[in-house]
Amino acid sequence: MTQAPATPKAARRRHDREIISLAVPAFGALVAEPLFLMVDSAIVGHLGTPQLAGLAIAAALLSTAVSVFVFLAYATTAAVARRVGAGDLQAAIRQGMDGIWLALLLGAAVVAVALPTAPGLVDLFGASDTAAPYAVTYLRVSSLGIPAMLVVLAATGILRGLQDTRTPLYVAIAGFAANAVLNVTLVYGAGLGIAGSAWGTVIAQCGMAAAYLVVVVRGARRHGASLRPDAAGIRASAQAGAPLLVRTLSLRAVLLIATAVAARLGDAEVAAHQIILSLWSLMAFALDAIAIAGQAIIGRYLGADDADGARQVCRRMVQWGVVSGVALGALIVIARPLFIPLFTGDTTVQETLLPALLVVAVSQPIAGVVFVLDGVLMGAGDGPYLAWAMLLTLAVFAPVALLIPAFGGGLTALWWAMTLMMTVRMGTLWARSRSGRWLVTGATR
């Protein structure tokens, strides 16, 4: 007897259950990095405005050093999920192990560059004489945690591809709690100042990486996947991630330009920008939780040769993204009197921050569409298109942002430029999703 096809309402419910089961735990894992930074910002902010300004510059550089390699998570999620859909778990984990070895190699290279060049990198941002020493201190100490964070990215990609977002949630909660306790203890208890904040974060990051490795190694042994480094596999992982690297470098260039412009507006502006950027990142990761679910689900559907299922779940996730963006924007507006004093008691910083924060709130529905579609196309392995689309976005944003100081604009104008950037991204991603060219099925793309 042939089973009747599911009704549209039943299909939506099935997709909703899939999205929720993956997105809710994924949110906890995704917010680990911005929560780390928010804790650092809140603790360091009470040391003084120069310290917070120094943290803003160092954090932008550190986020770049880690985030440019986010393909270790995203490309791995898509590749592993496709093989899960095709029923080959051993090959799925083996590919993930190649990503972990690549993460270790890249992390060691980044540390080797970051330590000696820290003062020069800080100077490139135009940091003031009062903020620069704090930025250099934080950057040098925190760079030691970069290899651990890259391992976290690669291992997270494996687990997401295996449709497991709960384990990353548990690791993120433990890492966040450890980071908060260590920061307070080392900054105030041990009197280490901004260096204590950096050391606390490094220790927490290394603990997270160790926890992930235990889980992944157990899985590899269970399914008979080799743990040894494979040169060909590492090269293949690097090549698969190259387009996403271009996409991420372009996005990081946008964020670096924004921080550099804010730094040239003054210490109060860059301090306010740091607080807004921390909150913006938290909102972005909240929305990206839906996209992470999409990467895993869409990769699995395409690996199982179900293009129609992938198309349907994409449509449903966009609806989720819009609604979530509206809710987050409203939350920012309503809760602003509660969280702004947590970051700084400087009234000048607070007054500078408020109007720009309202711009961020207005732009959240746009961000909801952008992050969802970005994740959908990553899950489909559509990296080359994402690379070209982000290069176009950078070409539009850069001249607008760099002209803001020349025309007497302030932090609010800068965040209107960020909203323009997100609108351009939405247009390029929406056009691709409508074309259907990303719907390539099979165990490999």
Side-chain angles (χ1 to χ4, degrees):
M1 181 177 179
T2 303
Q3 185 176 0
T7 64
K9 187 174 182 179
R12 285 196 301 271
R13 287 177 177 173
R14 184 180 72 250
H15 293 319
D16 287 346
R17 287 194 297 269
E18 287 184 308
I19 294 167
I20 292 172
S21 67
L22 292 173
V24 172
F27 171 73
L30 282 168
V31 299
E33 183 181 342
L35 282 177
F36 274 32
L37 187 54
M38 288 177 70
V39 168
D40 291 0
S41 298
I43 293 173
V44 171
H46 289 285
L47 293 174
T49 298
Q51 288 90 332
L52 184 57
L55 172 63
I57 294 167
L61 289 164
L62 287 164
S63 295
T64 299
V66 174
S67 297
V68 294
F69 301 115
V70 74
F71 69 84
L72 292 166
Y74 292 158
T76 302
T77 297
V80 170
R82 277 183 178 268
R83 284 165 174 77
V84 169
D88 192 349
L89 290 176
Q90 185 182 71
I93 296 177
R94 174 63 261 178
Q95 175 141 4
M97 288 302 305
D98 292 333
I100 288 177
W101 283 110
L102 178 61
L104 288 170
L105 293 173
L106 292 173
V110 172
V111 172
V113 172
L115 289 177
T117 61
L121 292 172
V122 170
D123 286 342
L124 286 175
F125 272 76
S128 67
D129 292 339
T130 55
Y134 297 112
V136 172
T137 296
Y138 192 92
L139 178 59
R140 279 182 164 159
V141 175
S142 290
S143 66
L144 299 176
I146 289 175
M149 287 308 295
L150 297 192
V151 168
V152 167
L153 287 176
T156 300
I158 298 173
L159 296 176
R160 289 174 185 164
L162 293 170
Q163 318 293 296
D164 175 12
T165 57
R166 291 185 180 275
T167 299
L169 170 62
Y170 302 146
V171 175
I173 291 172
F176 171 70
N179 181 61
V181 172
L182 287 166
N183 266 260
V184 172
T185 301
L186 296 176
V187 172
Y188 297 114
L192 296 180
I194 196 170
S197 177
W199 278 115
T201 301
V202 168
I203 294 169
Q205 290 168 342
C206 290
M208 292 175 67
Y212 274 116
L213 287 174
V214 169
V215 173
V216 172
V217 167
R218 285 178 180 172
R221 288 175 175 169
R222 186 182 309 119
H223 295 288
S226 174
L227 299 173
R228 296 179 180 179
D230 177 68
I234 294 172
R235 283 196 303 271
S237 294
Q239 291 169 357
L244 290 181
L245 177 61
V246 173
R247 169 258 180 202
T248 305
L249 283 172
S250 301
L251 177 57
R252 296 311 304 181
V254 165
L255 300 179
L256 287 171
I257 288 170
T259 300
V261 170
R264 283 162 174 78
L265 295 174
D267 278 3
E269 283 77 7
V270 73
H273 176 74
Q274 171 59 25
I275 295 170
I276 294 173
L277 194 59
S278 297
L279 292 166
W280 186 79
S281 297
L282 178 60
M283 298 299 103
F285 280 114
L287 294 169
D288 212 22
I290 304 170
I292 293 301
Q295 288 182 37
I297 296 169
I298 284 176
R300 193 186 76 234
Y301 272 100
L302 295 178
D305 296 322
D306 188 356
D308 185 59
R311 185 184 294 106
Q312 289 179 19
V313 79
C314 171
R315 186 181 305 115
R316 189 58 175 165
M317 282 186 294
V318 169
Q319 294 170 357
W320 275 69
V322 173
V323 172
S324 299
V326 171
L328 289 172
L331 181 62
I332 291 173
V333 174
I334 294 170
R336 69 188 188 281
L338 301 177
F339 60 74
I340 290 176
L342 295 176
F343 292 97
T344 179
D346 189 324
T347 55
T348 302
V349 175
Q350 291 181 359
E351 291 171 359
T352 303
L353 182 155
L354 184 57
L357 189 62
L358 295 177
V359 174
V360 173
V362 170
S363 69
Q364 287 307 294
I366 297 173
V369 176
V370 168
F371 286 108
V372 166
L373 290 179
D374 200 43
V376 165
L377 297 183
M378 285 183 188
D382 202 16
Y385 180 83
L386 292 172
W388 284 110
M390 199 60 225
L391 285 170
L392 172 63
T393 302
L394 174 61
V396 173
F397 170 78
V400 174
L402 292 173
L403 287 172
I404 287 173
F407 283 91
L411 190 64
T412 302
L414 176 60
W415 277 94
W416 275 120
M418 290 287 285
T419 301
L420 170 65
M421 178 271 295
M422 294 298 288
T423 303
V424 174
R425 287 186 73 190
M426 183 176 68
T428 59
L429 297 173
W430 181 262
R432 185 64 167 183
S433 70
R434 297 289 293 176
S435 73
R437 295 178 182 176
W438 53 280
L439 292 165
V440 179
T441 58
T444 58
R445 183 178 171 92

